[in-house]
Amino acid sequence: MSLPLPIALDAMGGDNAPVSVIQGAELARQRFPWLKFLFYGNAFKIGSLLEKNAALRSACEVVHTDVVVNTGDKPSVALRQGRQSSMRLAIDAVKEGKAFAIVSAGNTGALMAMSKLVLRTLPGISRPAIISLLPTQRGEIVMLDMGANIECDANDLFQFAIMGDAFAKAVLNLTHPRIGILNVGQEEMKGHDEVKMAAHMLRNSKLSSNFHGFVEGNNLAEGTVDVVVTDGFSGNIALKTLEGTAKLVVHHLRRSYSSSLVAKVGYLLSRPALATLKEMMDPRKHNGAMFIGLNGICVKSHGSADALSFANAIGVATELAVQQINRRINEELSLYDVSAADNESPEI
Amino acid sequence: MSLPLPIALDAMGGDNAPVSVIQGAELARQRFPWLKFLFYGNAFKIGSLLEKNAALRSACEVVHTDVVVNTGDKPSVALRQGRQSSMRLAIDAVKEGKAFAIVSAGNTGALMAMSKLVLRTLPGISRPAIISLLPTQRGEIVMLDMGANIECDANDLFQFAIMGDAFAKAVLNLTHPRIGILNVGQEEMKGHDEVKMAAHMLRNSKLSSNFHGFVEGNNLAEGTVDVVVTDGFSGNIALKTLEGTAKLVVHHLRRSYSSSLVAKVGYLLSRPALATLKEMMDPRKHNGAMFIGLNGICVKSHGSADALSFANAIGVATELAVQQINRRINEELSLYDVSAADNESPEI
């Protein structure tokens, strides 16, 4: 690859596609002028959106396809029937070395299944996970899995810890990230066998000095550790509960402010302060979760992403590439005794 | 039982015991002047706290014991060694008909194990669950299990739905509570086998018209349904994430307000509005979770409860007794075909 560097975008994935994808690319181009965008999807729709944007038009390539993976499609169906879909073609571009990363706001299960099939997992990793940053009292922390693997065994959680450690080093610039396993209590006796065994494995691994122990739901927002390891079921519920609660508080705040004239004046004077809060809690600023553990960078955007949100997901993919995230994870993995029994990708 | 009605309190459970328990009882007495308090614990410590409070002294009875269940004790150890503990004696009082309910801020696992052993489960219920109210955009909703059962099968979740339905009818005065199962997506194909099977059972039961389907983490704060059913692992994580996030937002708000002089003035004018928010989100106002499914009312207070918080837990227990919660659940259970195979309590 040479400059401008190409990034593959599934132009048809997400509730607001292709508008959010094209406008998101335009926003991302302002931040990374050295990017080239490979749009996969309906060339007529994409073309009409590019009509008035000569600058973006000259920094992109459009690959036409009529096939789209729908939100409700089962991963198995998407795999079989979606070989010519915008999602699949965008993933293929990474596999073929035409793009350094793929971003999609489409069906999560289908994106995971397709990218796992096409890109394969890193050596020693049995299951990729969804990893993302969370806002906390102490700044951002890393959490995985956010929903790719509904049920995980101790070995999966152990591998997640290694990948989360490498991710935190690369993205948060930490030398010794503190790692915690999400559980219902901090005591060693708490939780089910999988978390207890994973904690045991971490305590007896080269990561032991970074391992903090178990953390609880409230420790997420408190930022007690830098890396939170959990299964995809709990991780997804925790993430969405966090987003929902932040919205609830803002909702009540707004209602409280309209309760009296004095409160309204107070609101006017407080606007800059509230704007800071709103910006910090804005889920659009935190959009873009990496499918970590794959032989290639694949970033999932929220399905409901708007242009700003999608631009942020492009930013995440680009920064991960700049940080050479997969080279770092491979280096980290080579230090640990991870089981390669079910490794699907012997070659890098 | 005759007036004043006796409630059994574990005076030694919790981080701030016995002070929080005695002062909490005093606060509760102001709201329910017809209560009589049975304090179980160190009579010397309790006595000295009652010294200056003649009114409370005349409305209570102190049963001395030196044995205390500690926070770190395993439930099995507490069961064996805690037969004379303040927690166990308070539970025994309910079994023996000396008190209409028991409240403790002590070790959750031990309280569950002891109360299950002593009080037994309701006919048709295999495992009791922790049920509590959550603040939402639409008012309060009911959620269970909050952490008693780390792993649950479909049958457990189905029984939780029946109990949650009865609880919402009794406590929230709803005639047709909407029931949702917590999951990683709303589509029927999402989640693990247990939630899918439980949803199938509900759709084919007499509760089907009340069954909304799957809900996600953000639906908690949105108040999408009245009753949220989940396993104890996910429920505990969701609850604590919600509490932690509310604190995070308030923390940032406070920091934003001190960022400039104008913001500080805005803060002064906004104080009443913010106080409303703070009160609504105050976890102390939501303290007190029932162990539902037992032959008797057992309410668990947060271990870190202060007096106000503990008083609220006493209030929860009292209101549940007034609402005859267990009679209602029994009536509800008799309508459904719940498996009584592992029912531990044939008699009521």
Side-chain angles (χ1 to χ4, degrees):
Chain A
M1 286 180 219
S2 58
L3 279 175
L5 285 171
I7 186 165
L9 305 179
D10 170 9
M12 310 313 283
D15 305 342
N16 309 309
V19 178
S20 53
V21 176
I22 310 302
Q23 292 181 352
E26 171 58 24
L27 289 174
R29 203 180 58 81
Q30 293 163 17
R31 187 165 151 214
F32 306 101
W34 43 270
L35 279 184
K36 179 182 172 187
F37 303 97
L38 310 182
F39 294 119
Y40 293 84
N42 186 308
F44 303 101
K45 289 186 185 172
I46 298 170
S48 77
L49 289 165
L50 289 170
E51 213 167 280
K52 289 179 187 161
N53 195 330
L56 182 59
R57 215 162 52 226
S58 71
C60 79
E61 208 171 286
V62 180
V63 181
H64 177 76
T65 177
D66 277 332
V67 186
V68 170
V69 174
N70 294 309
T71 319
D73 289 352
K74 279 193 181 179
S76 54
V77 173
L79 278 182
R80 270 200 313 278
Q81 299 176 356
R83 290 205 183 91
Q84 291 302 315
S85 64
S86 58
M87 183 184 279
R88 175 64 185 266
L89 294 179
I91 299 170
D92 288 345
V94 175
K95 172 73 180 171
E96 293 158 9
K98 293 182 193 161
F100 67 82
I102 136 95
V103 182
S104 173
N107 182 325
T108 309
L111 183 63
M112 178 55 92
M114 277 185 183
S115 58
K116 197 176 166 191
L117 178 81
V118 174
L119 301 174
R120 309 260 160 167
T121 56
L122 291 172
I125 296 297
S126 35
R127 302 163 91 182
I130 302 179
I131 190 165
S132 186
L133 295 170
L134 281 187
T136 80
Q137 285 195 20
R138 267 199 325 110
E140 288 183 313
I141 64 166
V142 169
M143 183 161 157
L144 76 167
D145 175 22
M146 293 298 206
N149 306 285
I150 295 308
E151 284 164 300
C152 296
D153 63 19
N155 204 40
D156 295 328
L157 296 174
F158 180 64
Q159 293 179 8
F160 293 172
I162 296 174
M163 295 194 286
D165 184 69
F167 189 94
K169 284 173 180 162
V171 176
L172 302 178
N173 285 315
L174 300 170
T175 46
H176 292 288
R178 283 167 310 156
I179 302 166
I181 297 178
L182 192 60
N183 197 356
V184 297
Q186 292 176 18
E187 302 87 351
E188 280 187 34
M189 62 171 190
K190 288 287 176 81
H192 47 58
D193 291 345
E194 285 75 20
V195 291
K196 283 188 221 173
M197 177 58 80
H200 175 78
M201 289 169 77
L202 278 168
R203 262 184 232 108
N204 293 287
S205 75
K206 287 185 182 138
L207 272 181
S208 64
S209 61
N210 289 5
F211 183 53
H212 170 90
F214 292 136
V215 292
E216 300 179 74
N218 52 302
N219 296 135
L220 298 180
E222 288 165 8
T224 306
V225 292
D226 304 301
V227 180
V228 176
V229 172
T230 185
D231 64 274
F233 195 83
S234 308
N236 183 284
I237 286 171
L239 172 71
K240 288 181 181 160
T241 300
L242 192 145
E243 289 176 354
T245 308
K247 264 194 207 165
L248 167 69
V249 175
V250 171
H251 165 88
H252 274 281
L253 209 56
R254 207 171 284 154
R255 216 171 59 175
S256 303
Y257 274 124
S258 57
S259 62
S260 77
L261 186 62
V262 173
K264 278 180 192 157
V265 176
Y267 170 70
L268 287 176
L269 294 177
S270 311
R271 266 202 300 199
L274 292 171
T276 312
L277 173 74
K278 206 177 158 194
E279 177 158 334
M280 190 228 140
M281 299 304 294
D282 188 348
R284 297 183 304 172
K285 304 268 171 180
H286 305 284
N287 187 39
M290 182 184 181
F291 285 180
I292 201 166
L294 291 171
N295 243 323
I297 296 173
C298 178
V299 167
K300 169 71 174 74
S301 155
H302 255 292
S304 62
D306 61 8
L308 177 61
S309 208
F310 198 85
N312 200 67
I314 295 175
V316 168
T318 307
E319 277 171 8
L320 288 171
V322 170
Q323 293 294 335
Q324 301 184 67
I325 180 71
N326 279 343
R327 185 184 58 73
R328 287 179 182 228
I329 295 173
N330 274 329
E331 283 173 12
E332 193 102 348
L333 283 169
S334 69
L335 299 175
Y336 302 99
D337 180 29
V338 283
S339 150
D342 40 7
N343 166 28
E344 298 178 35
S345 165
E347 82 289 351
I348 301 187
Chain B
M1 285 178 219
S2 58
L3 280 174
L5 284 171
I7 186 165
L9 304 179
D10 169 10
M12 310 312 283
D15 306 341
N16 309 309
V19 178
S20 53
V21 176
I22 309 303
Q23 291 181 353
E26 172 58 24
L27 289 173
R29 203 181 57 82
Q30 293 163 16
R31 187 165 150 214
F32 306 100
W34 43 269
L35 278 183
K36 180 182 170 187
F37 303 96
L38 310 183
F39 293 120
Y40 293 83
N42 186 308
F44 304 101
K45 290 185 184 169
I46 298 169
S48 77
L49 289 165
L50 289 169
E51 212 167 279
K52 290 177 186 160
N53 193 330
L56 182 58
R57 216 163 50 226
S58 71
C60 79
E61 210 171 285
V62 180
V63 181
H64 176 78
T65 177
D66 277 332
V67 187
V68 171
V69 174
N70 294 308
T71 319
D73 289 352
K74 280 193 180 180
S76 53
V77 173
L79 278 182
R80 271 199 314 277
Q81 300 176 356
R83 290 203 183 91
Q84 291 302 315
S85 64
S86 59
M87 183 184 279
R88 174 65 185 265
L89 295 179
I91 299 169
D92 287 345
V94 175
K95 173 73 180 172
E96 292 158 10
K98 292 182 193 161
F100 67 83
I102 138 93
V103 182
S104 173
N107 181 325
T108 309
L111 184 62
M112 179 54 93
M114 278 185 182
S115 58
K116 196 176 167 191
L117 179 80
V118 174
L119 302 174
R120 308 258 160 170
T121 55
L122 292 172
I125 296 298
S126 36
R127 302 163 91 182
I130 303 179
I131 190 166
S132 186
L133 295 170
L134 282 188
T136 81
Q137 285 195 20
R138 268 199 324 110
E140 288 182 312
I141 63 166
V142 169
M143 183 160 157
L144 77 167
D145 174 22
M146 293 298 206
N149 307 286
I150 295 309
E151 284 164 301
C152 297
D153 63 21
N155 203 40
D156 295 327
L157 296 174
F158 180 64
Q159 293 179 10
F160 294 171
I162 296 174
M163 294 194 287
D165 183 70
F167 189 94
K169 284 173 180 163
V171 175
L172 302 178
N173 284 316
L174 300 170
T175 46
H176 292 288
R178 282 167 311 157
I179 302 167
I181 297 178
L182 192 61
N183 198 355
V184 296
Q186 292 176 18
E187 302 88 352
E188 279 187 33
M189 63 171 191
K190 288 286 177 86
H192 47 57
D193 291 345
E194 286 75 20
V195 292
K196 284 188 221 172
M197 177 58 79
H200 175 79
M201 289 169 76
L202 278 169
R203 263 185 230 108
N204 292 287
S205 75
K206 286 185 182 139
L207 271 181
S208 64
S209 61
N210 289 4
F211 183 52
H212 169 90
F214 292 137
V215 292
E216 300 180 74
N218 52 304
N219 296 135
L220 298 179
E222 288 165 9
T224 307
V225 292
D226 305 301
V227 179
V228 176
V229 171
T230 185
D231 64 273
F233 195 83
S234 308
N236 183 283
I237 286 170
L239 173 70
K240 288 181 181 160
T241 300
L242 192 145
E243 290 176 354
T245 309
K247 264 194 206 163
L248 167 68
V249 175
V250 171
H251 165 88
H252 273 282
L253 209 56
R254 206 169 286 153
R255 217 171 56 175
S256 303
Y257 274 124
S258 57
S259 62
S260 76
L261 186 62
V262 173
K264 277 180 191 158
V265 176
Y267 170 70
L268 287 176
L269 295 177
S270 311
R271 265 203 300 199
L274 292 171
T276 313
L277 174 75
K278 205 176 159 193
E279 178 158 334
M280 191 230 139
M281 299 303 297
D282 188 348
R284 297 183 304 172
K285 304 268 170 179
H286 305 284
N287 187 40
M290 181 183 182
F291 285 179
I292 201 166
L294 291 171
N295 244 323
I297 295 172
C298 178
V299 167
K300 169 71 174 76
S301 155
H302 254 293
S304 62
D306 62 8
L308 177 62
S309 207
F310 198 85
N312 200 67
I314 296 174
V316 168
T318 307
E319 278 172 7
L320 288 171
V322 170
Q323 294 293 336
Q324 301 185 69
I325 181 71
N326 279 342
R327 185 183 58 73
R328 287 178 180 228
I329 295 174
N330 275 328
E331 283 173 11
E332 193 103 348
L333 284 169
S334 68
L335 299 175
Y336 301 99
D337 179 29
V338 283
S339 150
D342 41 7
N343 166 26
E344 298 178 33
S345 166
E347 83 289 346
I348 303 187

